[in-house]
Short mmCIF file of all heavy atoms in Angstrom, two decimals:
data_model
loop_
_atom_site.label_atom_id
_atom_site.label_comp_id
_atom_site.label_asym_id
_atom_site.label_seq_id
_atom_site.Cartn_x
_atom_site.Cartn_y
_atom_site.Cartn_z
N ALA A 1136 0.84 -1.24 -0.03
CA ALA A 1136 0.00 -0.01 -0.03
C ALA A 1136 0.83 1.25 0.02
O ALA A 1136 0.46 2.28 -0.54
CB ALA A 1136 -0.93 0.02 1.22
N SER A 1137 2.03 1.21 0.58
CA SER A 1137 2.93 2.37 0.69
C SER A 1137 3.47 2.77 -0.70
O SER A 1137 4.08 3.83 -0.77
CB SER A 1137 4.03 2.12 1.66
OG SER A 1137 4.81 1.04 1.24
N TRP A 1138 3.35 1.95 -1.65
CA TRP A 1138 3.86 2.27 -3.02
C TRP A 1138 2.80 2.95 -3.85
O TRP A 1138 3.10 3.35 -5.05
CB TRP A 1138 4.35 1.03 -3.74
CG TRP A 1138 5.67 0.51 -3.28
CD1 TRP A 1138 5.98 0.11 -1.99
CD2 TRP A 1138 6.88 0.32 -4.00
NE1 TRP A 1138 7.30 -0.28 -1.94
CE2 TRP A 1138 7.87 -0.17 -3.15
CE3 TRP A 1138 7.17 0.64 -5.33
CZ2 TRP A 1138 9.13 -0.38 -3.57
CZ3 TRP A 1138 8.48 0.31 -5.79
CH2 TRP A 1138 9.48 -0.18 -4.91
N VAL A 1139 1.63 3.12 -3.37
CA VAL A 1139 0.53 3.62 -4.12
C VAL A 1139 0.00 4.93 -3.60
O VAL A 1139 -0.01 5.15 -2.41
CB VAL A 1139 -0.62 2.56 -4.10
CG1 VAL A 1139 -1.83 3.05 -4.93
CG2 VAL A 1139 -0.16 1.23 -4.56
N ALA A 1140 -0.32 5.84 -4.49
CA ALA A 1140 -0.92 7.16 -4.09
C ALA A 1140 -2.09 7.51 -5.01
O ALA A 1140 -2.23 6.99 -6.08
CB ALA A 1140 0.17 8.24 -4.25
N ARG A 1141 -2.89 8.42 -4.54
CA ARG A 1141 -4.02 8.83 -5.38
C ARG A 1141 -3.50 9.59 -6.58
O ARG A 1141 -2.47 10.27 -6.56
CB ARG A 1141 -4.95 9.81 -4.54
CG ARG A 1141 -5.72 9.03 -3.53
CD ARG A 1141 -6.70 10.01 -2.78
NE ARG A 1141 -7.54 9.21 -1.92
CZ ARG A 1141 -7.25 8.80 -0.67
NH1 ARG A 1141 -6.01 9.04 -0.16
NH2 ARG A 1141 -8.04 8.10 0.02
N ALA A 1142 -4.20 9.35 -7.68
CA ALA A 1142 -3.86 10.05 -8.92
C ALA A 1142 -4.31 11.50 -8.84
O ALA A 1142 -5.18 11.83 -8.12
CB ALA A 1142 -4.57 9.35 -10.04
N PRO A 1143 -3.69 12.38 -9.66
CA PRO A 1143 -4.07 13.80 -9.68
C PRO A 1143 -5.57 13.91 -10.07
O PRO A 1143 -6.06 13.21 -11.04
CB PRO A 1143 -3.15 14.37 -10.76
CG PRO A 1143 -1.98 13.53 -10.82
CD PRO A 1143 -2.48 12.14 -10.54
N ALA A 1144 -6.26 14.78 -9.37
CA ALA A 1144 -7.66 15.01 -9.69
C ALA A 1144 -7.82 15.51 -11.12
O ALA A 1144 -6.98 16.29 -11.63
CB ALA A 1144 -8.23 16.05 -8.70
N ALA A 1145 -8.80 15.01 -11.82
CA ALA A 1145 -9.18 15.45 -13.17
C ALA A 1145 -8.18 14.90 -14.26
O ALA A 1145 -8.37 15.09 -15.43
CB ALA A 1145 -9.25 16.96 -13.33
N ALA A 1146 -7.10 14.21 -13.81
CA ALA A 1146 -6.26 13.61 -14.81
C ALA A 1146 -6.79 12.26 -15.30
O ALA A 1146 -7.27 11.56 -14.51
CB ALA A 1146 -4.78 13.44 -14.20
N GLY A 1147 -6.62 11.98 -16.54
CA GLY A 1147 -7.03 10.67 -17.06
C GLY A 1147 -5.94 9.68 -16.66
O GLY A 1147 -4.87 9.99 -16.17
N HIS A 1148 -6.31 8.37 -16.83
CA HIS A 1148 -5.42 7.30 -16.40
C HIS A 1148 -4.10 7.40 -17.19
O HIS A 1148 -2.99 7.19 -16.61
CB HIS A 1148 -5.99 5.93 -16.63
CG HIS A 1148 -7.19 5.64 -15.75
ND1 HIS A 1148 -7.10 5.74 -14.35
CD2 HIS A 1148 -8.47 5.30 -16.00
CE1 HIS A 1148 -8.29 5.47 -13.81
NE2 HIS A 1148 -9.13 5.20 -14.82
N ALA A 1149 -4.18 7.67 -18.44
CA ALA A 1149 -2.90 7.82 -19.26
C ALA A 1149 -1.98 8.90 -18.77
O ALA A 1149 -0.75 8.70 -18.69
CB ALA A 1149 -3.31 8.02 -20.71
N GLU A 1150 -2.58 10.03 -18.44
CA GLU A 1150 -1.81 11.13 -17.99
C GLU A 1150 -1.18 10.71 -16.59
O GLU A 1150 -0.01 10.98 -16.32
CB GLU A 1150 -2.67 12.36 -17.75
CG GLU A 1150 -3.06 13.10 -19.03
CD GLU A 1150 -4.20 12.45 -19.72
OE1 GLU A 1150 -4.87 11.57 -19.09
OE2 GLU A 1150 -4.49 12.73 -20.90
N ALA A 1151 -1.94 10.19 -15.66
CA ALA A 1151 -1.42 9.78 -14.40
C ALA A 1151 -0.30 8.73 -14.52
O ALA A 1151 0.65 8.78 -13.65
CB ALA A 1151 -2.56 9.21 -13.50
N ALA A 1152 -0.32 7.85 -15.50
CA ALA A 1152 0.73 6.81 -15.66
C ALA A 1152 2.03 7.42 -16.06
O ALA A 1152 3.04 6.76 -15.93
CB ALA A 1152 0.23 5.80 -16.73
N THR A 1153 2.09 8.67 -16.51
CA THR A 1153 3.36 9.29 -16.93
C THR A 1153 4.17 9.84 -15.68
O THR A 1153 5.27 10.20 -15.86
CB THR A 1153 3.19 10.42 -17.91
OG1 THR A 1153 2.52 11.53 -17.31
CG2 THR A 1153 2.32 9.93 -19.15
N LEU A 1154 3.50 9.88 -14.53
CA LEU A 1154 4.09 10.59 -13.41
C LEU A 1154 4.97 9.87 -12.48
O LEU A 1154 5.99 10.40 -12.06
CB LEU A 1154 2.84 11.24 -12.60
CG LEU A 1154 3.19 12.35 -11.65
CD1 LEU A 1154 3.96 13.47 -12.25
CD2 LEU A 1154 1.84 12.88 -11.06
N PRO A 1155 4.66 8.63 -12.04
CA PRO A 1155 5.36 8.07 -10.89
C PRO A 1155 6.86 7.84 -11.15
O PRO A 1155 7.76 8.35 -10.38
CB PRO A 1155 4.72 6.71 -10.58
CG PRO A 1155 3.31 6.97 -11.15
CD PRO A 1155 3.46 7.78 -12.33
N LEU A 1156 7.25 7.05 -12.18
CA LEU A 1156 8.69 6.68 -12.29
C LEU A 1156 9.49 7.90 -12.62
O LEU A 1156 10.52 8.13 -11.98
CB LEU A 1156 8.82 5.61 -13.37
CG LEU A 1156 10.27 5.14 -13.66
CD1 LEU A 1156 10.81 4.41 -12.42
CD2 LEU A 1156 10.37 4.23 -14.87
N ASN A 1157 9.15 8.58 -13.65
CA ASN A 1157 9.94 9.77 -14.00
C ASN A 1157 9.94 10.91 -13.01
O ASN A 1157 10.91 11.49 -12.72
CB ASN A 1157 9.47 10.26 -15.39
CG ASN A 1157 9.74 9.25 -16.47
OD1 ASN A 1157 10.88 8.82 -16.80
ND2 ASN A 1157 8.71 8.71 -17.09
N GLY A 1158 8.78 11.10 -12.40
CA GLY A 1158 8.67 12.10 -11.37
C GLY A 1158 9.50 11.78 -10.13
O GLY A 1158 10.21 12.62 -9.60
N LEU A 1159 9.42 10.52 -9.70
CA LEU A 1159 10.25 10.10 -8.56
C LEU A 1159 11.71 10.13 -8.87
O LEU A 1159 12.53 10.47 -8.01
CB LEU A 1159 9.82 8.71 -8.01
CG LEU A 1159 8.43 8.67 -7.40
CD1 LEU A 1159 8.09 7.22 -7.08
CD2 LEU A 1159 8.43 9.51 -6.10
N THR A 1160 12.09 9.79 -10.08
CA THR A 1160 13.50 9.82 -10.47
C THR A 1160 14.02 11.22 -10.38
O THR A 1160 15.11 11.49 -9.86
CB THR A 1160 13.68 9.29 -11.86
OG1 THR A 1160 13.22 7.92 -11.97
CG2 THR A 1160 15.08 9.38 -12.34
N ALA A 1161 13.23 12.15 -10.92
CA ALA A 1161 13.69 13.57 -10.92
C ALA A 1161 13.65 14.10 -9.49
O ALA A 1161 14.63 14.84 -9.09
CB ALA A 1161 12.75 14.44 -11.81
N ARG A 1162 12.70 13.76 -8.69
CA ARG A 1162 12.64 14.21 -7.28
C ARG A 1162 13.87 13.72 -6.50
O ARG A 1162 14.42 14.46 -5.73
CB ARG A 1162 11.39 13.73 -6.65
CG ARG A 1162 11.14 14.19 -5.24
CD ARG A 1162 10.90 15.70 -5.19
NE ARG A 1162 12.06 16.47 -4.84
CZ ARG A 1162 12.21 17.75 -5.04
NH1 ARG A 1162 11.23 18.46 -5.60
NH2 ARG A 1162 13.33 18.35 -4.84
N LEU A 1163 14.18 12.43 -6.69
CA LEU A 1163 15.31 11.87 -5.99
C LEU A 1163 16.59 12.59 -6.37
O LEU A 1163 17.45 12.91 -5.50
CB LEU A 1163 15.45 10.37 -6.24
CG LEU A 1163 16.64 9.64 -5.64
CD1 LEU A 1163 16.69 9.80 -4.14
CD2 LEU A 1163 16.56 8.15 -5.99
N ALA A 1164 16.80 12.81 -7.68
CA ALA A 1164 17.97 13.53 -8.11
C ALA A 1164 18.11 14.88 -7.44
O ALA A 1164 19.20 15.26 -6.91
CB ALA A 1164 17.97 13.72 -9.66
N LEU A 1165 17.08 15.62 -7.38
CA LEU A 1165 17.09 16.97 -6.78
C LEU A 1165 17.36 16.85 -5.28
O LEU A 1165 18.08 17.71 -4.67
CB LEU A 1165 15.83 17.73 -7.07
CG LEU A 1165 15.61 18.08 -8.53
CD1 LEU A 1165 14.21 18.61 -8.80
CD2 LEU A 1165 16.64 19.20 -8.94
N ASP A 1166 16.75 15.89 -4.67
CA ASP A 1166 16.94 15.70 -3.16
C ASP A 1166 18.40 15.35 -2.89
O ASP A 1166 18.96 15.80 -1.91
CB ASP A 1166 16.04 14.65 -2.68
CG ASP A 1166 14.57 15.09 -2.60
OD1 ASP A 1166 14.28 16.30 -2.84
OD2 ASP A 1166 13.68 14.27 -2.42
N LEU A 1167 19.04 14.51 -3.71
CA LEU A 1167 20.43 14.17 -3.53
C LEU A 1167 21.36 15.40 -3.78
O LEU A 1167 22.37 15.55 -3.04
CB LEU A 1167 20.86 13.05 -4.50
CG LEU A 1167 20.23 11.66 -4.23
CD1 LEU A 1167 20.47 10.78 -5.40
CD2 LEU A 1167 20.79 11.09 -2.92
#
């Protein structure tokens, strides 16, 4: 359950699917 989050409101499934891997990759890079 800890790997799952709500999708952005009003976003379609296709749009939401573009967010986790690439967004987390970029976020981790900036945090490092």
